[in-house]
Amino acid sequence: MSDCSYSSRAVSDFLAFFVPWEFSWLVQISIWGALLLYFNGLRRMSAGEMPGYGPIIGFVLGVLLMYLVTQTRFDYWSQYMFFIHRGQHLVLHHLAPFLIALAMPAPVLARGIPDPVRAWFARQGWLRAIWVPVYRWLQQPMIACILFVGLIAFWLTPEIHFDAMLNLTLYWVMNWSMALDGLLFWWLMFDRGRGGITPRLGYGTRVLLLFAVMVPQIIIGASITFADANWFEVYAVCGRAWPLDPMTDQHIGGLITWIPAAMMSVVGALVILRFWIYDDAAQYAARTAPARA
Amino acid sequence: MNPRRIALIAALLLGLTACGDESWHGKSIEGLMPELEFELTAESGETVTESVFAGRPVALYFGFTHCPDICPTTLARLVAAARRLPEPLREELQLAFVSVDPQRDGPRQLSDYTDAFSDRMVGLTGSQRQLKAFTRRYRTTYGYEEERSDGSYNVSHSSAIFVFDASGEPRLMLLDSLGVAEIAADLERLLSREARNADNA
């Protein structure tokens, strides 16, 4: 009897986890829309054009991670515990966009758009005329770096963080800005398609940029970890999800801002080095092939 | 959403008020949060709504009566600050304590607790559903620690005092870093402004 009620409680707790704390139509439409477009694109591709299993799994995982941290119980914990909030931003700004950009989903997503819609967009020259320069301006190496680190610093400014946690509209602006900037940055890092509008940076430049954003993140993360004052009073003001010492919460939050975030730069650099070696080998093969013939 | 609130949020988004209203010791929450509304249980055991405050300004605090440190010290500071207010304003201000630990804080327990602080303080609590709805409305939360062997457990809760004006609009958040003099100064400024507005109306 007690076993039965225990397991039914576990099931209802498990299901309760998937009830969004702050339901958002915009997030729901974006997430399920992206997955729908992607699978429709895959369906319409020939066997030769299809990406491998790796990119498909990476893309789906990245998109689902974004859903998980914004439209489940996880979002509640993020609002009422600083270190979980840092975990949420680690996913939104680093991990999920990293996986999505690495999967290079653009050709698949483009193929997934129904033909009439694509034809309509193709006719809207003005849209492209606005979007392309704005996008290319945002994707300049300096701007991309400043945005990437600047947004972390901006939302972690204690006064701004306070208001963002108190006002739901600002909270959504914060999370969207992190997710979109994460996509921009990692897209720039991992772009290797042909004929896109993303500026093609040299591999050396990319590795350099990854280290350029790593250093300030270490400084921000370490400052929070070693701070001896409680900088983020809003979590005390609003109450924590469960009783936890405020300084412990802040220390763990600082460590999450510091170590896994910096590690993502290292992992990103390793991925880019792999592209580099692969491309060099391909170029070498191309150069030597005619000579041998 | 009323136009004033939209304008305030827009101003916030532009970062114009990102540093808050510097002239208060506490934090202005005007326009950031919705007006006072709840359904809770009073010390008498009856179900009450925000109308129990009868259109008076309220300073409200979330806590639990077994709270070892933060609740008693914060409530003591609030009561001391309220005593410093000039006579007519002191009579105006209503103090409220909302327990987020209904399992241990029945009507009797609440009444004993609030009476020890001030006869102007009312104790409120409610079912988990009612308390969740009320705390969520003000973007706060609470949670319980695992019960220890002696049956005691700690509860996390908001550390700020929320001040609502006579019409139930949220006005100020008094953080627990404020001293008695600062709380008194903020309350006096807010209440005397209210009184002037009432005279003009």
Side-chain angles (χ1 to χ4, degrees):
Chain A
M1 173 66 194
S2 67
D3 265 11
C4 177
S5 70
Y6 181 77
S7 67
S8 77
R9 167 115 193 256
V11 169
S12 71
D13 280 355
F14 177 76
L15 291 178
F17 176 82
F18 290 98
V19 177
W21 176 249
E22 297 291 353
F23 182 87
S24 160
W25 280 110
L26 195 59
V27 175
Q28 294 283 343
I29 291 169
S30 306
I31 297 283
W32 301 119
L35 289 176
L36 202 70
L37 275 186
Y38 193 76
F39 283 109
N40 193 37
L42 286 180
R43 198 176 54 86
R44 295 169 67 172
M45 279 183 150
S46 66
E49 300 169 297
M50 286 259 271
Y53 283 118
I56 296 174
I57 293 170
F59 177 80
V60 173
L61 195 65
V63 174
L64 287 181
L65 273 173
M66 285 202 176
Y67 182 87
L68 194 78
V69 297
T70 54
Q71 293 290 285
T72 64
R73 193 78 187 162
F74 194 94
D75 183 46
Y76 165 77
W77 296 324
S78 308
Q79 291 185 30
Y80 297 108
M81 203 60 101
F82 178 67
F83 85 87
I84 301 179
H85 152 78
R86 292 317 302 153
Q88 182 188 47
H89 277 198
L90 184 71
V91 170
L92 286 177
H93 198 220
H94 290 72
L95 188 58
F98 182 103
L99 290 170
I100 293 170
L102 191 59
M104 292 209 309
V108 186
L109 290 171
R111 185 64 74 84
I113 301 172
D115 293 331
V117 179
R118 189 139 48 129
W120 183 86
F121 271 112
R123 281 196 304 273
Q124 313 303 313
W126 61 274
L127 207 67
R128 204 178 149 82
I130 296 170
W131 166 241
V132 173
V134 170
Y135 177 74
R136 289 185 67 95
W137 184 83
L138 287 172
Q139 292 292 50
Q140 295 172 85
M142 274 296 275
I143 306 279
C145 278
I146 291 171
L147 266 181
F148 192 79
V149 176
L151 275 173
I152 300 175
F154 178 79
W155 292 115
L156 278 175
T157 307
E159 293 81 18
I160 294 166
H161 196 79
F162 200 108
D163 283 8
M165 285 305 185
L166 235 44
N167 184 280
L168 195 57
T169 313
L170 271 180
Y171 179 76
W172 278 119
V173 170
M174 170 174 78
N175 282 352
W176 271 100
S177 71
M178 292 308 270
L180 291 177
D181 177 62
L183 283 172
L184 280 175
F185 183 81
W186 294 107
W187 207 277
L188 182 67
M189 290 299 108
F190 294 148
D191 178 61
R192 52 205 192 285
R194 287 205 194 83
I197 56 171
T198 308
R200 287 294 297 269
L201 302 181
Y203 291 135
T205 313
R206 300 185 197 196
V207 173
L208 211 66
L209 292 184
L210 282 173
F211 281 91
V213 298
M214 185 172 81
V215 177
Q217 287 186 83
I218 290 176
I219 296 173
I220 295 171
S223 323
I224 295 172
T225 309
F226 294 125
D228 43 19
N230 183 3
W231 286 358
F232 303 102
E233 243 190 327
V234 69
Y235 296 90
V237 166
C238 293
R240 285 187 159 76
W242 65 86
L244 178 72
D245 175 58
M247 293 312 290
T248 310
D249 187 13
Q250 188 166 303
H251 288 156
I252 305 173
L255 286 173
I256 294 175
T257 314
W258 172 6
I259 293 165
M263 281 303 293
M264 293 299 291
S265 273
V266 177
V267 176
L270 290 175
V271 168
I272 290 164
L273 284 178
R274 210 185 110 90
F275 294 166
W276 206 342
I277 293 166
Y278 184 82
D279 277 16
D280 266 3
Q283 267 173 18
Y284 180 75
R287 265 204 310 277
T288 52
R292 256 192 261 125
Chain B
M1 223 186 231
N2 63 42
R4 197 175 58 156
R5 189 170 298 158
I6 291 171
L8 274 161
I9 289 172
L12 260 173
L13 286 174
L14 290 168
L16 293 179
T17 58
C19 298
D21 188 348
E22 295 301 334
S23 47
W24 296 101
H25 297 292
K27 189 179 158 57
S28 168
I29 50 168
E30 227 180 316
L32 274 179
M33 290 187 169
E35 62 177 23
L36 190 61
E37 194 184 298
F38 61 80
E39 192 185 284
L40 294 168
T41 312
E43 286 172 4
S44 59
E46 285 169 291
T47 301
V48 293
T49 67
E50 65 282 359
S51 65
V52 75
F53 298 131
R56 282 189 305 197
V58 189
L60 182 145
Y61 184 73
F62 298 97
F64 63 114
T65 64
H66 288 75
C67 182
D69 39 32
I70 303 171
C71 310
T73 54
T74 308
L75 290 175
R77 270 182 293 143
L78 175 62
V79 169
R83 280 208 196 99
R84 287 196 190 184
L85 293 174
E87 186 56 51
L89 299 182
R90 196 190 318 161
E91 290 302 308
E92 262 305 285
L93 183 67
Q94 179 73 58
L95 308 177
F97 174 75
V98 180
S99 168
V100 291
D101 185 18
Q103 194 186 319
R104 286 185 293 186
D105 295 342
R108 180 67 195 277
Q109 170 87 7
L110 259 182
S111 154
D112 288 349
Y113 189 76
T114 55
D115 287 351
F117 285 101
S118 160
D119 52 4
R120 306 203 50 76
M121 190 184 293
V122 297
L124 297 163
T125 187
S127 65
Q128 289 295 337
R129 194 184 52 79
Q130 290 171 326
L131 288 168
K132 288 240 161 71
F134 186 42
T135 51
R136 186 179 181 167
R137 193 171 166 86
Y138 298 98
R139 292 195 62 70
T140 72
T141 194
Y142 59 91
Y144 307 104
E145 199 183 54
E146 283 292 320
E147 218 165 289
R148 294 187 206 112
S149 53
D150 61 352
S152 69
Y153 53 90
N154 202 0
V155 181
S156 61
H157 57 91
S158 162
S159 69
I161 298 164
F162 289 77
V163 186
F164 298 86
D165 67 17
S167 54
E169 286 294 329
R171 301 295 296 273
L172 277 178
M173 202 181 231
L174 303 169
L175 309 187
D176 65 351
S177 51
L178 297 188
V180 174
E182 291 162 319
I183 296 176
D186 271 8
L187 287 176
E188 184 172 350
R189 199 173 137 209
L190 181 71
L191 296 175
S192 49
R193 191 189 283 179
E194 284 266 303
R196 263 203 314 279
N197 288 347
D199 289 344
N200 293 343

